Amino acid sequence: MNRRVKISILMILILILLYITGEGVLMTKRAYSDYVVNRLNVQERQYESLSMLFSYAQILIFSFSLLALSSYALFRAMRPQREPGKAAVFFRRNGLYLAVGFLILFVVLFVLDRAAIGRIRNTVETSEVPAALRDRMLSSHLQIGAELAAEGAILSLVPWLRNRKRSQHEL
């Protein structure tokens, strides 16, 4: 692909991701304000505002990580080509080990999240005091951790896939 076209596409992608990340920041701020207002309210409102807060936080984390990756790709596309550094060589050699580790972390966090959701479903709410608040917060934190672990696994596979693609072209 032409270098100018690649840089143009990356700049457009970065602008779109900047907009999405900015909207994510605003929505997370609004959801946090709603949570602060409703934290002493009835449990349904509190749970709803808490779930919205963590949902927007997950969207913000995802869009910010895509923005960071796109910015890095733009930086790499603009700089002159040179020999790969020590970190790039390490990831190229051992990329699968990191990917497997992140995949295991994702599975562990996902299973713990399902256990927390099971505890939430078994909780009997009988008063205005939210009995499952800690479990809901734990579940939300585990979901964010699972999202980050999945992103790490995918990112760890990229150098290995590039290396395989190069070796196939050489044959």
Side-chain angles (χ1 to χ4, degrees), residues 16-26 59-60 63-65 67:
I16 291 169
L17 288 171
L18 273 172
Y19 175 75
I20 292 171
T21 304
E23 285 294 318
V25 167
L26 291 175
I59 291 170
L60 178 64
S63 65
F64 181 75
S65 61
L67 178 64

Side-chain angles (χ1 to χ4, degrees), residues 38-39 41-50 130 133:
N38 289 321
R39 69 180 165 182
N41 212 333
V42 292
Q43 58 207 18
E44 288 85 16
R45 280 190 179 166
Q46 184 178 19
Y47 291 158
E48 181 181 339
S49 62
L50 184 69
L133 182 63

Side-chain angles (χ1 to χ4, degrees), residues 46-141:
Q46 184 178 19
Y47 291 158
E48 181 181 339
S49 62
L50 184 69
S51 68
M52 291 303 293
L53 172 64
F54 280 105
S55 297
Y56 286 130
Q58 281 185 298
I59 291 170
L60 178 64
I61 290 170
F62 185 69
S63 65
F64 181 75
S65 61
L66 285 179
L67 178 64
L69 288 173
S70 300
S71 300
Y72 176 72
L74 179 65
F75 175 73
R76 282 197 53 155
M78 294 177 84
R79 73 178 181 158
Q81 294 294 327
R82 58 184 177 160
E83 290 296 316
K86 290 180 182 179
V89 171
F90 173 78
F91 280 114
R92 197 171 291 142
R93 273 194 222 135
N94 302 317
L96 286 177
Y97 296 122
L98 288 173
V100 170
F102 278 122
L103 187 63
I104 290 170
L105 180 64
F106 169 75
V107 169
V108 168
L109 291 173
F110 189 76
V111 168
L112 289 175
D113 177 46
R114 295 300 114 193
I117 289 176
R119 284 181 23 188
I120 290 169
R121 288 185 182 145
N122 291 333
T123 303
V124 177
E125 306 265 6
T126 58
S127 66
E128 296 295 318
V129 178
L133 182 63
R134 289 187 78 183
D135 289 331
R136 287 183 184 268
M137 291 185 81
L138 174 67
S139 172
S140 299
H141 288 127

